[in-house]
Amino acid sequence: MDSGNLAWYIAATALVLFMTPGVAFFYGGLVKAKSVISMMMMSFGAMGLVAVLWILYGYNMQTADWWGGILGNPFSDFGLGAMATGENATVNLTAVAYGATFAIITVALISGAIADRARFGSWMIFAFFFATIDYFAVAGWVWNTNGWIFNLGTTLGFSTEVIDYAGGTAVHINAGAAALALALVLGKRVGFQKGIHKPHNVPLVMLGAAILWFGWFGFNAGAAAFYAAPEGTSGDILSGIAGVGSPAGLIVLNTLGATAAAILGWAMVEKLKDGKPTAVGAASGAVAGLVAITPSCANLAPGWSLLLGIIAGAVCALAVELKWRLGFDDSLDVVGVHLVGGLIGTLYLGFFATGTGLFLGGNAEQLILQAIAAVTVLVFSFVVAYVLGFIIEKTIGFRVKNEDEIAGIDTVVHGEEGYALVD
């Protein structure tokens, strides 16, 4: 890997890491003022814990070299001492750091579904086991050349493979399904009904969305650096798709275009449905577009990415209403934005992926592969998260007491207040 590609790789790692504080700001602004510290701490807790686990054994687990591409040996290079002294250490260790940022944000995203009512210690226990049992394995399924999803097309005798360039399945469907499971385990907030729980700081929400959009160029285009790596280094793993060179320009343009179009899609739905487009809606629309373009950023022509953005923004704007109709308290719409947006972006490739989509010179094979990958990750993540959350709730407790929730959990859980209004 030449110095320019390596420099971009390191910069992309920093950009993606910065996205998790963006999640903290975005989520923090959406909750009530007395819960903002708790909400943001769940993201920062994930940053601390998951990064350590990834370096110790998570990266090893995603090599997926056991049991037909299902899991890797966590002790194959525990703590990465051998990698640090081996050939191509600089590129390989940078790959580890880049992969860690994806693991961190996947776990952090889940926390939005349990806002205002979760214990921090219980959240950290959940994060530990979910990262270990779920994310480290799923990342290997999707992105490692040994992974069973990575090789699903070959296994089925198809002429193409599953496409998930940057995490439609491994990040967004994974986090969204887990969020739904935890929302069901912890139950509804006190007074759960439409219009009761309003964002306490809309500018904070907008700031978080802006940071996410900024960092997402590293999230999507950062993987392009893999294709510049020499044979035998980490450039040959976690590549995300087969047969594509280094389409960084296309990825950057699609990340811009789909996100912009999704803002318009969400705003149009709000205007038609409620009479007024909102700032929170614009921020949420941007995130929905970013989610949808994540798996498809390298495999769509720019025009098709704009259509994807419009669809994702509009559909996610409608999907966030499902919690009121179905009665599950997904506090900050992780299900409506990340699960639904991830499904849209992943399945959209089955129709419009360049050269392989059903409508663009391909056949039904791409759609079949995308659907199998999406459904498998969804079900696996939901089951793992539900079981973990249920065990934690029934043993040490996951949800705070109702009186603590009503009072605001920042002082109870962390001994701090987000805003010192009186000296």
Side-chain angles (χ1 to χ4, degrees), residues 11 34 36 44 46 97 119 145 160 185 190 211 218 230 240 249 283 291-292 314 348 363 368 415 418 422:
K34 294 182 179 180
V36 61
F44 275 80
R119 297 181 179 181
T145 52
T160 187
V185 170
V190 175
I211 292 173
V291 169
Y348 188 86
N363 51 44
I368 292 169
V422 179

Side-chain angles (χ1 to χ4, degrees), residues 195-217:
I196 292 295
H197 301 281
K198 295 182 178 180
H200 88 279
N201 192 325
V202 174
L204 209 61
V205 177
M206 301 293 283
L207 174 64
I211 292 173
L212 283 168
W213 198 347
F214 175 73
W216 222 288
F217 289 101

Side-chain angles (χ1 to χ4, degrees), residues 364-379:
E365 290 182 355
Q366 192 69 67
L367 181 58
I368 292 169
L369 291 172
Q370 300 302 119
I372 292 173
V375 171
T376 302
V377 172
L378 190 161
V379 172

Side-chain angles (χ1 to χ4, degrees), residues 194 263-278 310 313-315 317-318 321:
K194 192 171 184 179
I263 295 173
L264 301 180
W266 193 296
M268 287 188 293
V269 168
E270 281 193 325
K271 176 64 176 177
L272 293 172
K273 184 168 63 71
D274 303 320
K276 296 178 181 179
T278 66
I310 289 285
V315 173
L318 296 171
E321 299 292 321

Side-chain angles (χ1 to χ4, degrees), residues 303-318:
W304 292 119
S305 73
L306 293 179
L307 177 61
L308 171 60
I310 289 285
I311 292 171
V315 173
C316 290
L318 296 171

Side-chain angles (χ1 to χ4, degrees), residues 85-124:
T85 57
E87 187 178 0
N88 298 309
T90 297
V91 175
N92 289 331
L93 292 174
T94 305
V96 174
Y98 184 68
T101 62
F102 281 67
I104 289 166
I105 197 169
T106 302
V107 175
L109 287 172
I110 301 168
S111 65
I114 54 175
D116 295 324
R117 61 199 190 279
R119 297 181 179 181
F120 182 71
S122 299
W123 161 252
M124 293 294 282

